[in-house]
Amino acid sequence: MCGIAGIIEFDPRSRPDGNVLRRMTALIAHRGPDDSGHFVGDNVALGHRRLSVIDLSPAGHQPMSNGDSSVWITYNGECYNYQELASRLRARGHSFRSASDTEVILRLYEEMGEAFLGELDGMFALAIWDRKKGQLLLARDRLGIKPLFYYADDRHLIFASELKALLADPAAPAELNLAALGDYLHLLSVPDPHSILTGVRKLLPGHYLRVTRAKLDEQGYWDLQPSPNGQLSFDEACEQFTARFRAAVTSHMVADVPVGAFLSGGVDSSSIVCAASRAARAPVNTFSVVFPGFPDLDESRFAADVAAHCGTLHHQLELTPTLTDALPKIAWHADEPFAISSSIALYYLAGLAKEHVKVVLSGDGGDEIFGGYPWRHDDYLNAALLYHGRGGHLLERILRSAPAGRWLPKWARSMIWRAGPGDRRYVGSFSCFQDAEIGGLLEPDYASAIGKAWEHNITQRYFDTAPTAEQLARKLYTDVKSTLVSEMLTKVDRMTMAHGLEARVPFLDHRLVEWAFTVPAEYKVQGMEGKRVVKKAMEPFLPRNILYRKKQGFNVPMNIWMRTDLREFVRDMLSTSRFRQRGLFRPAGVDGLLDGHFSGKEDGANRIIALLMLELWFRQVVDARATYHGLSPAGPG
């Protein structure tokens, strides 16, 4: 796992600025603390920060070239089937100077061109400079596990694993993207292909981008094709899941360094730890977090039970609300505004894990693939009977209006959403701020622009264009394309990479995902029970009290902490002249939100976290940009 960056000047006679490239890679040094490398040649510059996981020798150094230096690669990720691919290439006459997966990818490209992407089993973001073609190829893995940002003007294109690295180039923009801000206030993260900055884009998962002389050509090379198999019995589905899941976990353990696992005691992480322990030659290190004084959030006893059952070396972290120093660092590493509170716990947990291993397995993706959020996919049939003609539209107008919608009790707003059309209910289930709340919080011009942009939000678009009519498959397809990438995978990538720790997600093995979308809906969700096929398949391997306990989620008690230990920090951050001079939010609206939460009249925790992390992002990333242009780019402070 690594960090990559680069520049291509569209004029073949122009030479990229090597100092800018070095500043870019310095800003992502945390992603690869073991080594750094830079190549500047022709009109291209490629940079790399290395976290050594496969082939720890200098032979794995990047950027890496082929025999005659006509092709160069900088690569972030892991190719789990690289040994199989290398054997096939050797049989066709190829030889290798290293034992790295990077060189295997380089040879595949030489032989197959862009078609090599279909051969890779893994997670990756990469750039390949082909001097003979005068072409730079950028590519991202099928599910979007690894990030890739880019910005192009009429002179050049720059790219990097993280947005902040682009800001090392004085030409990169720092203007707020209002559509992305609206996405963030609704979803608490910024979905692809938008970024929070106007003009900066994320390469979509399963896509590649050809760059030649100011021409950008983005193409998709993979997509999900949901096709439920009505001939598949439930017992057959369980058998097939067991075999495919074991294969996925085993493949994700390939490494030349120790591999551990995050363990919450939930179904997904427990299943991964169980399969990893069976495949490992020595006890697996596992890691969990506990919140002292919050028994409702305490999953430590379940994690301990699984650790004992599987014979792991278990490590537990107690997390307390002393976060005032950590939150600015988390905002810096998050790279864009990011208000998923579980990222705070993961940041600390990754720090613990890095003391013992270089690689961890994570259970992310299981909920999105196998229907782990049944309340999100429930069609609320009884409530939907309320939605008839003018009555339903009237309910929606009430919810959207200000002040009526703003002051309705939360239960009433929820009921109105549940009485709306199915797609509206589903999309609304993601939202932190509803439209009326945004109207009362932002200055009018910003609220209007965001409201118009949200009418065409990415979640709704994926739902409308999903290549299937089956309702659960449409919703899970949308989950995979939107919040899985912008929320779950972003959280895992940024918080682990903050510590130079590689996280792998076996549930997102693309072959397992493709198979999962052939599984009938009723095998995944039935009533309010999700992941039926996973639970049943794991019954021979895990205790029933682990598989069938109530789902808790990976939650952090920020609502309580913000009324106690963090209260003054939050108030100061959202009341300063610096915050108000940005001109985005109405001071009275912000004060009302804070007062309502601090007094206990309402739970405004998620909305307050959204504003807090946005302000911290401004301070840590945008306001600090001037330091990126110096000789020593600043880290989080």
Side-chain angles (χ1 to χ4, degrees), residues 349-503:
L349 191 60
L352 171 65
K354 184 57 189 289
E355 296 175 8
H356 301 272
V357 297
K358 258 190 175 182
V359 178
V360 290
L361 306 181
S362 174
D364 291 273
D367 287 321
E368 288 79 6
I369 303 303
F370 289 102
Y373 305 119
W375 58 89
R376 181 183 291 175
H377 306 303
D378 179 11
D379 281 332
Y380 304 113
L381 294 178
N382 293 329
L385 296 176
L386 296 173
Y387 191 89
H388 288 294
R390 295 180 180 179
H393 292 295
L394 176 61
L395 290 173
E396 282 197 41
R397 285 199 296 272
I398 291 173
L399 185 62
R400 291 174 177 277
S401 68
R406 196 185 319 152
W407 299 116
L408 278 172
K410 187 175 182 179
W411 66 265
R413 294 198 302 266
S414 176
M415 191 64 183
I416 291 173
W417 277 117
R418 291 183 176 200
D423 60 339
R424 181 80 68 185
R425 293 194 303 276
Y426 167 68
V427 173
S429 72
F430 290 86
S431 295
C432 176
F433 288 95
Q434 300 294 347
D435 294 345
E437 294 171 320
I438 289 176
L441 192 65
L442 274 85
E443 294 293 347
D445 288 347
Y446 291 112
S448 175
I450 285 172
K452 291 178 181 177
W454 183 250
E455 291 176 2
H456 307 284
N457 68 82
I458 193 68
T459 308
Q460 184 73 57
R461 292 206 301 274
Y462 276 125
F463 184 86
D464 291 341
T465 59
T468 179
E470 199 279 310
Q471 287 301 294
L472 181 63
R474 290 181 74 183
K475 293 173 182 177
L476 295 180
Y477 176 90
T478 305
D479 284 357
V480 168
K481 292 291 186 177
S482 56
T483 54
L484 173 66
V485 182
S486 68
E487 180 181 322
M488 295 300 180
L489 295 179
T490 295
K491 175 183 69 177
V492 173
D493 175 82
R494 304 305 193 280
M495 295 303 104
T496 55
M497 284 279 89
H499 299 278
L501 177 72
E502 175 178 307

Side-chain angles (χ1 to χ4, degrees), residues 260-277 284-291 297-317 345-346 349-350 352-353 357 359-364 501 504 507 538 542-543 546-547 549 553-554:
F262 292 139
L263 176 59
S264 69
V267 173
D268 297 336
S269 66
S270 299
S271 298
I272 285 174
V273 167
C274 179
S277 297
V284 174
N285 283 273
T286 53
F287 309 93
S288 66
V289 65
V290 62
F291 304 99
L297 301 178
D298 185 10
E299 295 184 280
S300 60
R301 63 191 185 280
F302 300 111
D305 286 348
V306 174
H309 181 78
C310 297
T312 73
L313 301 175
H314 193 53
H315 310 270
Q316 184 173 287
L317 171 72
L346 186 58
L349 191 60
L352 171 65
V357 297
V359 178
V360 290
L361 306 181
S362 174
D364 291 273
L501 177 72
R504 300 176 177 180
F507 271 105
M538 293 304 298
L542 287 171
I546 297 296
L547 295 172
R549 70 183 179 91
F554 191 34

Side-chain angles (χ1 to χ4, degrees), residues 95-131:
S95 60
F96 294 89
R97 296 168 294 173
S98 73
S100 70
D101 56 340
T102 306
E103 188 176 3
V104 172
I105 293 173
L106 188 62
R107 300 298 182 193
L108 273 177
Y109 171 80
E110 286 186 291
E111 185 173 288
M112 303 177 65
E114 288 95 348
F116 84 93
L117 293 165
E119 299 294 311
L120 303 186
D121 170 18
M123 56 181 184
F124 56 85
L126 58 83
I128 295 177
W129 167 240
D130 189 324
R131 186 178 185 184

Side-chain angles (χ1 to χ4, degrees), residues 523-543:
Y523 297 174
K524 296 181 179 180
V525 178
Q526 191 170 77
M528 292 304 288
E529 182 189 359
K531 293 187 286 197
R532 290 184 63 224
V533 67
V534 178
K535 295 173 182 177
K536 186 66 176 178
M538 293 304 298
E539 279 185 3
F541 310 107
L542 287 171

Side-chain angles (χ1 to χ4, degrees), residues 207 217 228 239 326 359 522 543 571:
H207 280 64
D217 178 24
E239 292 175 5
V359 178
E522 62 270 23
R571 174 75 78 179

